[in-house]
Amino acid sequence: MAKTRQKDYRGVAIAMLVVTCWAGLLVFLLRWSVDFRSPLTYLFLLLQTHLYTGLFITAHDAMHGVAAPGYPKLNRGIGTVTALLFAYNWYPRLLPRHHQHHRHVATAQDPDYHAGSFWPWYLSFLKQYITWWQLVLMALTFNLLKLFFPLENVILFWMLPAVLATFQLFYFGTYLPHRGEHSEDNPHKSGTQAKNHLWAFFSCYFFGYHFEHHDKPYLPWWQLYKAKEPDQKEVYG
């Protein structure tokens, strides 16, 4: 029986927190004096990458109606804004593709799946989700930002984190859980990370618990850890 979605503003508050942290840190870092000898430079790069990933994870929650449950217009608005902030992704385009992934996971009809090795799969993944108009908008934004901020800051803290976050989402949220053969009693054709909530959060907002996500897609990312069973089958790490 499908779960009834009750009105709940916790997802809205968490979405606002992710967007605020991403935007606030970006504004700070675009003006920050970069020192390539300082470990802070690389720590900030990783942190901004993690927040970029959080934007897409928030949009993903919206695709399942759990960013603002009970408020469909607000939920869609959150999904649209966070998807746009992540390299100008278009939420109405992402939405049907993601649900197609859930309906046809790890088959020829799955837009996220590619029956091949890592790099061909990654390139196939990018082709599914990157459009020419996104590249145009990113190029325009890049050229606008460099008029006001140092070029190295724009590259390090606006452009590079978006690229790394795409890799992070693919590696932990698609490649690791769906690669290889899955047993016949695995209805979601998905593996899962070994139980370690700290690593699961930092690696990809608990989406390494991927079998659990497919099994309970009504759980937002910040509650997904509750579904983790220590003896879950097909653990990959």
Side-chain angles (χ1 to χ4, degrees), residues 174-195:
T174 297
Y175 176 72
L176 286 182
H178 293 303
R179 66 177 175 171
E181 297 294 327
H182 298 282
S183 63
E184 293 182 0
D185 62 348
N186 183 337
H188 307 303
K189 299 180 182 178
S190 304
T192 184
Q193 285 180 346
K195 187 176 182 179

Side-chain angles (χ1 to χ4, degrees), residues 150-162:
L151 177 60
E152 59 189 12
N153 293 59
V154 176
I155 293 174
L156 276 175
F157 303 123
W158 180 77
M159 185 175 73
L160 187 55

Side-chain angles (χ1 to χ4, degrees), residues 92-235:
R93 183 175 182 270
L94 296 176
L95 181 61
R97 288 170 178 257
H98 185 65
H99 284 283
Q100 185 178 348
H101 162 66
H102 274 263
R103 288 193 303 270
H104 306 288
V105 61
T107 69
Q109 289 76 44
D110 180 356
D112 292 1
Y113 184 71
H114 179 78
S117 58
F118 177 83
W119 289 111
W121 191 342
Y122 182 53
L123 293 175
S124 173
F125 181 82
L126 293 180
K127 289 178 182 178
Q128 287 291 334
Y129 290 99
I130 295 179
T131 62
W132 66 267
W133 60 265
Q134 282 178 263
L135 297 176
V136 170
L137 289 173
M138 289 288 284
L140 289 173
T141 305
F142 174 80
N143 282 282
L144 180 64
L145 286 174
K146 74 178 186 179
L147 295 177
F148 301 97
F149 305 104
L151 177 60
E152 59 189 12
N153 293 59
V154 176
I155 293 174
L156 276 175
F157 303 123
W158 180 77
M159 185 175 73
L160 187 55
V163 175
L164 294 176
T166 302
F167 187 87
Q168 182 180 3
L169 286 161
F170 169 74
Y171 185 72
F172 292 104
T174 297
Y175 176 72
L176 286 182
H178 293 303
R179 66 177 175 171
E181 297 294 327
H182 298 282
S183 63
E184 293 182 0
D185 62 348
N186 183 337
H188 307 303
K189 299 180 182 178
S190 304
T192 184
Q193 285 180 346
K195 187 176 182 179
N196 184 323
H197 295 335
L198 185 64
W199 171 239
F201 169 70
F202 281 111
S203 60
C204 200
Y205 293 79
F206 301 114
F207 271 86
Y209 296 161
H210 209 75
F211 179 95
E212 292 78 6
H213 166 60
H214 277 265
D215 197 52
K216 297 177 175 64
Y218 51 81
L219 288 178
W221 71 261
W222 44 275
Q223 290 189 335
L224 189 55
Y225 73 94
K226 296 179 181 178
K228 181 64 182 174
E229 297 292 339
D231 58 347
Q232 181 67 55
K233 294 180 180 180
E234 297 195 27
V235 172

Side-chain angles (χ1 to χ4, degrees), residues 40-78:
L40 275 178
T41 299
Y42 308 100
L43 180 62
F44 281 140
L45 171 61
L46 292 176
L47 181 56
Q48 191 66 359
T49 297
H50 187 64
L51 290 170
Y52 257 106
T53 299
L55 292 176
F56 195 89
I57 293 295
T58 302
H60 170 271
D61 268 7
M63 295 176 205
H64 288 285
V66 296
Y71 298 91
K73 291 184 179 179
L74 178 59
N75 183 83
R76 187 178 182 87
I78 291 171

